[in-house]
Amino acid sequence: MGGLAQPRFPISLTVEAITMAKPIAAVTISTGVARRVMSPAAWDLLSRLAEVRVNPHDRSLTEDELAGLLSDADVCLSGWGGGRLTAAVLDRAPKLRMVGYAAGSVKPVVTDAMWERGIRITSAAPAIALDVAETTLALIIASVKRIWQCNQITHHGGWTAQTPMGPSREMNGSTIGIVGAGHVGRRVMELLNMFSAKVLLFDPYFTDAQAAQYQATKVELPELMSQSDVVSLHAPITDETHHMINASMLRLMKDGATLINTARGWLVDEAALAAEVQTGRIFACIDVTDPEPPAPDSPLRKLDNVVLTPHIAGCVTNCTRLGELAVEEIRRFLSGEPLLFEVTREMLSICA
């Protein structure tokens, strides 16, 4: 795509001889999740690194079962449904020192007890970000070109690029607003560099100079909402981001603008969004809701100017990059090498 390099993580999937006694690695994810995230190469490397013990069930483990599986583990490969590392669990896992998390946000797993024991954890969020960013780019382009509106017009006998939301446009000259410069937001900005679009960024933890590295202009949220043709949300779940996109922010959007949410439903006041969308003034592409799934009678399910998808922006069937990255992190930990994507206690307040 225009010469843009696909990010590659330095995953060797090889292992040098380990001189110490073979450590024990516990895989706490269910058999179903393991099929999604673990490639044969990942299993092979993990089995050469350590004696592997797995969750034998196609379900999450109970707290007692999780503690039993981790009782003599040195490292753990966790992920979706892998179980929370509570004090009760960790009291029975005295050897555990590191968790390779084969999913995005580690918040469902970590506890104060984990940090207090000095247990380290890594995240595969950078791998998930690649899929989410590609999906987001597709939604941005489709929104600018008015793909869904033109489809409705042609299905009803029409043939025009002029839609009730405005004419079909080009990426060249469009203004795209990015809310949040985490792994996904940064990757989306990299992808947008292929186009002659103006990119605005709101992220209180990013500097002007950092934004400029992504050919973006850092602005405050109200300016971004009022100036963007497409607003794409990539902020994490924190106290500060809850319903950050509220009625007043939605009212700032241009007529015919599109709101895209491939991050978390937490960010958006959905009642306010439904009310604003029902005016016919803006369009929305919503991949995440709060709660998930939305209620059967949610207005978002019924409105023609809402594209609603069931949380598919990230990987759905081929998620093996996640397991491979988690196993690579385990290899690095056992070999005494720097971890690639460690999450620290201090990072939790600002990361997804």
Side-chain angles (χ1 to χ4, degrees):
M1 298 198 308
L4 185 70
Q6 175 82 345
R8 296 194 180 277
F9 308 116
I11 299 174
S12 64
L13 295 183
T14 61
V15 59
E16 301 297 329
I18 296 177
T19 57
M20 66 185 78
K22 206 169 188 182
I24 293 174
V27 179
T28 62
I29 53 178
S30 70
T31 56
V33 173
R35 283 192 295 271
R36 292 178 63 193
V37 304
M38 293 291 286
S39 67
W43 279 121
D44 179 66
L45 174 57
L46 187 61
S47 65
R48 284 184 286 131
L49 286 169
E51 179 182 335
V52 180
R53 300 181 180 175
V54 302
N55 170 1
H57 307 291
D58 194 9
R59 59 167 174 81
S60 296
L61 297 174
T62 66
E63 185 175 69
D64 183 64
E65 290 170 334
L66 179 62
L69 183 61
L70 291 172
S71 61
D72 56 357
D74 299 282
V75 294
C76 166
L77 189 147
S78 185
W80 295 311
R84 194 163 181 82
L85 297 177
T86 64
V89 169
L90 295 177
D91 282 346
R92 294 170 56 186
K95 294 170 57 183
L96 185 64
R97 290 294 174 263
M98 183 267 180
V99 179
Y101 195 64
S105 174
V106 301
K107 291 177 182 178
V109 175
V110 298
T111 63
D112 288 341
M114 194 195 83
W115 305 121
E116 290 162 2
R117 287 163 173 77
I119 298 169
R120 300 170 72 183
I121 188 166
T122 62
S123 168
I128 294 178
L130 302 180
D131 296 294
V132 178
E134 290 165 2
T135 302
T136 301
L137 178 64
L139 294 173
I140 290 171
I141 295 173
S143 298
V144 169
K145 297 299 290 186
R146 311 287 189 197
I147 295 295
W148 293 284
Q149 297 92 329
C150 288
N151 177 66
Q152 291 174 356
I153 289 170
T154 56
H155 275 244
H156 288 86
W159 192 260
T160 178
Q162 302 294 325
T163 81
M165 302 293 294
S168 176
R169 300 182 55 183
E170 293 68 46
M171 292 291 287
N172 179 26
S174 294
T175 299
I176 312 299
I178 304 297
V179 178
H183 293 297
V184 178
R186 294 196 301 271
R187 182 57 180 163
V188 172
M189 289 189 288
E190 289 175 345
L191 294 173
L192 288 171
N193 287 342
M194 295 184 293
F195 307 96
S196 299
K198 180 179 180 180
V199 179
L200 302 180
L201 171 67
F202 170 71
D203 188 316
Y205 301 98
F206 232 53
T207 66
D208 291 343
Q210 287 174 310
Q213 291 176 359
Y214 291 89
Q215 300 181 34
T217 302
K218 184 180 175 182
V219 297
E220 294 302 313
L221 186 57
E223 181 178 352
L224 182 146
M225 297 297 291
S226 64
Q227 297 298 316
S228 300
D229 299 300
V230 177
V231 175
S232 189
L233 306 182
H234 305 290
I237 293 179
T238 68
D239 291 341
E240 291 75 20
T241 62
H242 186 233
H243 288 185
M244 66 187 299
I245 307 302
N246 54 28
S248 62
M249 288 295 164
L250 291 165
R251 283 195 294 269
L252 292 175
M253 293 181 71
K254 293 179 179 180
D255 289 352
T258 299
L259 178 74
I260 296 173
N261 190 5
T262 55
R264 286 291 185 268
W266 172 272
L267 307 179
V268 180
D269 181 339
E270 289 183 8
L273 174 62
E276 192 65 42
V277 169
Q278 283 175 319
T279 69
R281 201 179 65 77
I282 65 171
F283 198 87
C285 300
I286 305 299
D287 186 57
V288 288
T289 59
D290 186 15
E292 272 186 15
D297 61 349
S298 169
L300 299 181
R301 291 182 180 269
K302 302 175 177 65
L303 294 165
D304 289 338
N305 51 339
V306 174
V307 171
L308 184 62
T309 51
H311 203 144
I312 59 170
C315 65
V316 177
T317 54
N318 182 8
C319 300
T320 54
R321 280 190 296 215
L322 310 187
E324 289 174 358
L325 183 53
V327 173
E328 169 63 13
E329 298 279 26
I330 289 172
R331 185 197 68 78
R332 285 171 169 266
F333 176 79
L334 294 176
S335 301
E337 298 176 26
L339 301 177
L340 293 172
F341 302 109
E342 183 171 9
V343 179
T344 65
R345 189 178 203 167
E346 294 72 27
M347 294 167 62
L348 281 187
S349 63
I350 61 171
C351 70

